[in-house]
Amino acid sequence: MPNSVLWAVDLFGRVYTLSTAGQYWELCKDAQLEFKRVSATMQCCWGIACDNQVYVYVCASDVPIRHREEAYENQRWNPVGGFCEKLLLSDRWLWSDVSGLQHRPLDGVALPSPHWEWESDWYVDENFGGEPTEKGGWTYAIDFPATYTRDKKWNSCVRRRKWIRYRRYKSRDIWAKIPSKDDPKELPDPFNDLSVGGWEIMEEPVGRLSVWAVSLQGRVWYREDVSHSNPEGSSWSMLDTPGEVVQISCGPHDLLWATLWEGQALVREGINRSNPKGSSWSIVEPPGSENGIMHVSVGVSVVWAVTKDRKVWFRRGVNSHNPCGTSWIEMVGEMTMVNVGMNDQVWGIGCEDRAVYFRQGVTPSELSGKTWKAIVVARECDRSHSGSSSSLLSAGCFFGDEVRGSGESAPSDTDTSLEIERPGPGQPLPAEPLDSSRNPPGSSASGPGAGKTTEDTMEDACPAKSSREAGLDTHPGQASTLAELPWTNIDLKEPKKVPGHLVASFPETTSLSSLGVLPLGLEELYGVDDRPLWAWVSGGGCAVEACAVPRWFTVQAGLSPSVQTLSLSITPAQTAAWRKQIFQQLTERTKRELEKFRHYEQAVEQSVWVKTGALQWWCDWKPHKWVDVRVALEQFTGHDGARDSILFIYYVVHEEKKYIHVFLNEVTALVPVLNETKHSFALYTPERTRQRWPVRLAAATEQDMNDWLALLSLSCCESRKVQGRPSPQAIWSVTCKGDIFVSEPSLDLEAQEHPLPCDQMFWRQMGGHLRVVEANSRGVVWGLGYDHTAWVYTGGYGGGCFQGLASSTSNIYTQSDVKCVHIYENQRWNPVTGYTSRGLPTDRYMWSDASGLQECTKAGTKPPSPQWAWVSDWFVDFSVPGGTDQEGWQYASDFPASYHGSKTMKDFVRRRCWARKCKLVTSGPWLEVAPIALRDVSIIPESPSAEGSGHSIALWAVSDKGDVLCRLGVSELNPAGSSWLHVGTDQPFMSISIGACYQVTAGTTSHRPRDRG
């Protein structure tokens, strides 16, 4: 069985599979049962047969499905006879499971169903913890239960050993009936529908599935413990529902929808890893009051439905946080059922023609797709009859009256490669008639929306055209001889009429059928050349990518002629020729129009601009030092007005002049590097980022560094055509040093099929200094400084070291930030003098950082960079995690260890945290939001119901005291908002986050999450 197949059931209950690499429907190997519907995954397929019983079809694989049964033999030591089987009354069973609570004798362990077989007999497991045991696999302990060891000790009063036996699942590639071992009083009713999904909810156990079923009485059942090692599951459990359910659908993740008799939809909420069955039901109203929901199908983040009037609907706004969605959207076409498969791809059964349809254009960015396309694939059994069918068509001219029409010809090889474009289900066919070669007189075009029949006599329908046929007409004796054959049963004068539905199914063989040949080959309701009629389809095991659609939509050689008549009169080949002709005409017109302007000078000439200077460059190879270099920035403008730049670095090695160059359109980031002795910055490219080898340059003064940073940043933005303020969809970030960067999403970044790698994203620096930044898709950006001051983005760009053309002239304000620098005083206990600053030779520095690896003294510790200045003296920090005593000391048994605030007898080291405040003053497009200091802030990512720039945007925050706040009046026109609204809580909070569906989640100081109801 292929790994990726589409499952379908025809009107006669036969199950077929269609491989993504195949071109024919293959009949299921175990074809003795007739099924109503199936639900497939990559590894197996569940189905409901006509006896209303549930069956599972596990695909064959090289890896067997094995399960290990375990039983434990327990013994207690007796002073008379040693270890024996006589246990105390309070002990566990002599033969038990690992917990000892269940009696588990070896002869009482049976196979769960006839679909399993034993691989071997019981044997003792002589391994314990990965090491071999002695004396027959026994492990010893003081009592039941306790910690067991391999070696027997003087106090070992009990012992046990493990017996193992493997069983293997043998029913592969056949339909295996699911056994029922439940209480007869609680056995489920006969099933009417089922759905399989949930394989993305959890990773353990491997291959875990959620199997849901609906009984004839409208009750919902869940199959427990279905996984790769247990494909049948263990038992059925019933879930209460607010009404009678008729159909159910389970997605790969946490979506579960069902339909009620009244036409409403039920949505299961609370499905997660710890509770795969969910917690509650929610009711979703149908799209209209007149026609309720008849069928529903869900995927990862989509819901499709079919109402009782066969209309197809798409549910908008469905996700894990809002499984009910927001509204219904009507789609084109009429279907009897739809099914959402892997990657949210959609399959359906046409209402009129009973054909399988595929929804084209379904992508992560466009989940509703674009159009329905029919699958034109024959059954595998039809291939054996394709030769006989074509021979009958060609032999029609032998039987008396000519069969073929004057305009009819046999399908050629070029026709079989044309792509079939069928109208959507329920849509009318084109008003213009099809080509005569496709529709001979008396035939009927069959399509997704064609339901009418025609009954026309076809006498003398095909006058002879070829010389071979003309020769046959001159020998009536030969024709009469052929007519007298006993198997033909041909009446030349009065041809029999064929029922209309058969004529519609055989549009090109109607003339031959009217002569009495068709009924001889009809052993079933439809012939071998007719397309199958489908009742159910399941795409849960069919992996189809939007960019790589299988070859199921082109006519293949050997298909029935009825299928070939479905092509439209305008073929793709004609369309391609038409486009080529138009392109040639446009090219010629462009040449004619430009010819008259050849003598004019170009409006934009290619120009070159160069800036040079003296910098220092860090040599990453030996001797690994700063080297004096000359740099030149060359900027040129092309004929199209586009600007690009190259940075040249000239250096001398062993009296030999060399240079390196960097294309600025490849630069992804310009980062100032904080250094006490150098005013340096680094240039990153994708290749140098992967090699961790940026180009580091240093200027003599801070002003020179700022000038080069501004110039290089402006050149990078011009090369990438990034100008002005960031767009609302821009990605904001801050570094660990407080620098603010923003990246504009490109087309490749927005398309999830071809995401732009992170090392190729261009980040331009914005002025200002922040610890946290939060943004949403409507351009509202907030940030928090290290001193918990809130700042709002004003809409400008630049500031700080970016002045002149690299900065906007307005919306730039002065910004300040205050942070604390921490160092630690470490001491070790001495039996003579107590705690002292003299430690062991292996100890950390007595004045160090938090890790203890770097020496940090009060006199030698400086601010983080020259931009920072001290604003306070050193003071003891009493707010460190773990608590302190009255003097600020924290105690531990050794360096490093877990520190606590109270001294014990085992504490031999202690430390104390000293802090000093420093301040930075810069500028940027940020405005202070007073007066409350904030610890965390969160903005709703998007507002689905927002219409216009004045709509309010949800913004929540946590103050530095732990209070929860909600900002009122925040919008695109007023990003700062108007006032704060205090939200009452029972304890202080540390962090907060708001989701796209207004779901607020916050974390308390005890690290426990809380959801806002």
Side-chain angles (χ1 to χ4, degrees), residues 254-448:
D254 55 359
L255 283 184
L256 177 71
W257 281 52
T259 58
L260 298 176
W261 280 107
E262 293 80 5
Q264 298 170 317
L266 283 181
V267 182
R268 191 66 174 174
E269 296 184 348
I271 297 179
N272 50 47
R273 295 184 177 181
S274 58
N275 186 17
K277 293 190 289 187
S279 56
S280 60
W281 293 100
S282 296
I283 297 180
V284 175
E285 296 297 330
S289 58
E290 298 180 357
N291 296 290
I293 299 175
M294 180 185 68
H295 182 91
V296 71
S297 184
V298 303
V300 177
S301 55
V302 297
V303 175
W304 291 72
V306 178
T307 52
K308 294 181 180 179
D309 57 353
R310 308 298 182 179
K311 300 294 184 182
V312 182
W313 298 82
F314 176 81
R315 187 69 175 176
R316 183 164 49 184
V318 177
N319 53 52
S320 297
H321 302 288
N322 184 24
C324 297
T326 56
S327 60
W328 292 103
I329 302 176
E330 184 177 358
M331 312 302 291
V332 177
E334 295 182 359
M335 295 284 181
T336 59
M337 60 86 62
V338 291
N339 181 266
V340 180
M342 300 183 65
N343 304 323
D344 286 340
Q345 300 298 320
V346 187
W347 316 85
I349 303 293
C351 178
E352 296 291 343
D353 57 351
R354 287 288 182 172
V356 177
Y357 284 85
F358 173 69
R359 186 71 176 177
Q360 278 197 330
V362 175
T363 62
S365 60
E366 190 175 355
L367 295 174
S368 60
K370 297 179 179 179
T371 182
W372 294 104
K373 200 163 190 180
I375 295 179
V376 185
V377 176
R379 294 164 299 173
E380 188 178 24
C381 59
D382 295 344
R383 289 189 294 178
S384 60
H385 301 282
S386 60
S388 61
S389 301
S390 60
S391 62
L392 287 176
L393 288 174
S394 61
C397 298
F398 285 99
F399 301 118
D401 296 340
E402 304 304 325
V403 177
R404 296 192 174 274
S406 59
E408 184 181 357
S409 61
S412 63
D413 295 337
T414 57
D415 294 336
T416 58
S417 62
L418 299 181
E419 186 176 2
I420 300 301
E421 290 287 349
R422 299 175 63 175
Q427 300 182 23
L429 292 174
E432 61 183 50
L434 298 180
D435 189 82
S436 60
S437 62
R438 295 292 179 182
N439 289 276
S443 64
S444 173
S446 176

Side-chain angles (χ1 to χ4, degrees), residues 764-839:
R764 63 165 171 162
Q765 186 173 358
M766 305 292 289
H769 188 273
L770 296 174
R771 177 181 60 87
V772 176
V773 65
E774 280 284 330
N776 76 340
S777 60
R778 297 178 62 186
V780 177
V781 185
W782 278 51
L784 302 179
Y786 282 83
D787 56 355
H788 303 291
T789 301
W791 302 86
V792 62
Y793 176 62
T794 60
Y797 61 94
C801 63
F802 302 97
Q803 303 295 333
L805 296 177
S807 175
S808 58
T809 57
S810 60
N811 295 327
I812 302 296
Y813 303 94
T814 301
Q815 183 183 12
S816 62
D817 201 0
V818 178
K819 67 183 299 185
C820 289
V821 178
H822 297 86
I823 62 174
Y824 286 85
E825 178 185 3
N826 307 301
Q827 291 186 356
R828 178 173 286 277
W829 184 79
N830 190 298
V832 179
T833 60
Y835 285 101
T836 178
S837 297
R838 294 183 178 181

Side-chain angles (χ1 to χ4, degrees), residues 167-215:
R167 53 182 168 92
R168 179 174 57 194
Y169 190 78
K170 64 179 182 179
S171 297
R172 308 288 286 265
D173 276 354
I174 62 173
W175 288 104
K177 184 178 180 180
I178 299 299
S180 297
K181 292 187 177 181
D182 309 77
D183 186 358
K185 297 181 180 180
E186 299 181 358
L187 279 177
D189 306 316
F191 289 115
N192 183 49
D193 187 36
L194 62 77
S195 181
V196 183
W199 56 80
E200 295 183 3
I201 295 180
M202 62 180 67
E203 298 179 356
E204 295 292 339
V206 178
R208 183 204 167 277
L209 296 175
S210 295
V211 180
W212 299 79
V214 176
S215 64

